[in-house]
Amino acid sequence: MSVLLAALLQLAALQLSSALPFQQRGFWDFGEDIDVRDLMMTMMKDQEEGSAFEDVYPPETPTCPFGCTCHQKVVQCSDLGLIYVPPNIPPDTLLLDLQCNGITEIREGDFKGLTNLYALILRSNLITRVNPRAFLPLKRLQKLYISHNLLTSVPRNLPPSLVEMRIHDNRIRRVAAGTFNGLGNMHVIEMGRNPIHNSGFEPGAFTGLKLNYLRISEARLTGVPKDLPASLHELHLDHNEIQAIELEDLSRYKQLHRLGLGFNHILHIERGALSYLPNLRELHLDHNRLSAVPSGLANMKYLQVVYLHSNNITSVGVNDFCPVGFGMKKVFYNGISLFGNPIEFWEIQPATFRCVSDHMAVQLGNHKK
């Protein structure tokens, strides 16, 4: 482990940045930024636990692609103006960084022999095509970052070992049935900022996945996509064109802890639609067009955070958030935002927030500096 640690410390200053439209805290925190230090620490932990790697002996004569930096299983080739994946990548490589180049195509033999690769970073290139056989040698790949490219579809034959894939900021308009077949280890997919409509998800597109986290933000969705994995703990659909939440839209997602629907055009949430989310902890409905507090919040036992700011809510009822009595609410709220709505705070009865942990947890826009 000490040998790998030296390599990780050498690249610890490397960071990737990109603004997020949706700030996340707690639970699963997977945004666009790749903190390479965190990635390396995860890789070390997996190596210690024996869950990701087998020993691969280095060649007798160490090789390194021209212009790249190679140090103890980490190969860093970013910002070199490359138009192809370079040859002579050491076969014992665990982390391969090819971000910020001019690569246009991933060819069949580009990763030949890299059977122990753990993480592959291809973000911020010009990739339009991935050969269907390109990823076949990557028997132990767990993290694939191929965002900020020009792909029009999800690459085929992804490694079954894959745990996390970030493919946001491409040109994907369609996800075909069976795209993710055989990827039973996948937990995280970030695919926001693709020009995909609801009709772009074919029936069976997500069959076989047991995801914990899925983000389809800044797309062209007009409703909640159908048949997403029922295993989801987090679902983020912010910055879309969703206009309503129908009764059956959320019926599959009983394991959800966090639901992000901010920055849409939601006018109406059908009564009973939220009752399918018994484990929800955090609900983001800010920057929509709601005229009332959604029904059903008072019956959500574990709900702790509700963002309703910047809507058109004109009144708040005394039982909108809290049940009558205290028998049903298991945890108190620690955050309710209502500012940016056409309602005066003095019109809301104090008992409305009787199941809130602290008065500072309610944001009504009445705290003036």
Side-chain angles (χ1 to χ4, degrees), residues 16 72 136 139 160 164-165 201 223 240 244 284 291 301 334 336 344 360 367:
L16 310 177
Q72 299 298 338
L136 293 181
K139 303 297 185 182
E164 177 182 349
M165 180 174 67
F201 295 102
N240 275 288
H284 292 244
S291 58
K301 297 180 180 181
N334 54 43
I336 296 177
E344 304 296 348
M360 293 300 292
H367 299 289

Side-chain angles (χ1 to χ4, degrees), residues 161-359:
S161 57
L162 205 60
V163 173
E164 177 182 349
M165 180 174 67
R166 305 189 192 190
I167 196 167
H168 54 281
D169 244 321
N170 276 275
R171 298 180 177 179
I172 297 172
R173 296 178 179 273
R174 176 175 169 270
V175 181
T179 294
F180 301 110
N181 279 351
L183 300 179
N185 294 312
M186 185 87 81
H187 292 311
V188 177
I189 295 180
E190 158 65 90
M191 59 182 305
R193 294 185 187 173
N194 282 289
I196 188 166
H197 296 263
N198 285 72
S199 59
F201 295 102
E202 292 187 1
F206 293 93
T207 298
L209 287 181
K210 296 180 180 179
L211 294 180
N212 287 314
Y213 177 101
L214 176 62
R215 181 192 290 268
I216 316 175
S217 303
E218 296 185 81
R220 297 179 181 176
L221 302 178
T222 55
V224 177
K226 304 296 184 184
D227 299 327
L228 301 178
S231 58
L232 283 170
H233 285 183
E234 288 206 26
L235 175 60
H236 299 287
L237 302 174
D238 48 286
H239 289 263
N240 275 288
E241 301 169 11
I242 300 172
Q243 299 183 16
I245 304 298
E246 305 296 339
L247 184 62
E248 298 297 322
D249 283 348
L250 304 173
S251 61
R252 289 173 51 85
Y253 313 118
K254 295 178 173 58
Q255 303 302 317
L256 271 186
H257 287 176
R258 178 183 286 172
L259 176 60
L261 291 167
F263 292 90
N264 275 281
H265 305 153
I266 299 173
L267 289 162
H268 174 67
I269 297 178
E270 191 171 354
R271 181 176 294 275
L274 298 177
S275 65
Y276 293 107
L277 308 177
N279 295 300
L280 198 68
R281 269 72 166 170
E282 189 168 321
L283 177 61
H284 292 244
L285 285 165
D286 55 287
H287 294 89
N288 277 286
R289 301 175 184 177
L290 295 171
S291 58
V293 176
S295 64
L297 297 183
N299 298 322
M300 303 181 77
K301 297 180 180 181
Y302 301 104
L303 190 62
Q304 300 174 51
V305 176
V306 184
Y307 288 177
L308 289 167
H309 56 274
S310 301
N311 276 278
N312 296 320
I313 298 172
T314 57
S315 65
V316 178
V318 70
N319 295 319
D320 279 350
F321 295 100
C322 306
V324 178
F326 293 93
M328 297 177 63
K329 189 70 175 169
K330 297 294 184 182
V331 296
F332 278 14
Y333 293 98
N334 54 43
I336 296 177
S337 66
L338 284 164
F339 61 89
N341 284 287
I343 183 173
E344 304 296 348
F345 70 89
W346 56 80
E347 296 178 354
I348 303 176
Q349 298 185 39
T352 301
F353 305 116
R354 59 188 179 274
C355 58
V356 177
S357 59
D358 183 87
H359 72 280

Side-chain angles (χ1 to χ4, degrees), residues 59-100:
E60 293 182 4
T61 303
T63 59
C64 186
F66 179 78
C68 301
T69 299
C70 301
H71 188 76
Q72 299 298 338
K73 303 183 182 181
V74 176
V75 178
Q76 200 267 325
C77 303
S78 62
D79 299 281
L80 295 178
L82 300 174
I83 59 174
Y84 293 110
V85 175
N88 301 322
I89 299 171
D92 64 340
T93 300
L94 299 181
L95 190 156
L96 177 57
D97 181 6
L98 293 164
Q99 64 179 308
C100 301

Side-chain angles (χ1 to χ4, degrees), residues 81-133:
L82 300 174
I83 59 174
Y84 293 110
V85 175
N88 301 322
I89 299 171
D92 64 340
T93 300
L94 299 181
L95 190 156
L96 177 57
D97 181 6
L98 293 164
Q99 64 179 308
C100 301
N101 282 291
I103 298 171
T104 59
E105 179 184 3
I106 303 299
R107 300 164 298 179
E108 178 177 350
D110 280 345
F111 306 120
K112 183 179 180 180
L114 301 182
T115 57
N116 218 39
L117 194 66
Y118 170 85
L120 175 59
I121 305 175
L122 291 165
R123 74 188 299 273
S124 299
N125 277 280
L126 302 172
I127 300 170
T128 59
R129 181 178 181 272
V130 177
N131 186 284
R133 300 182 59 83

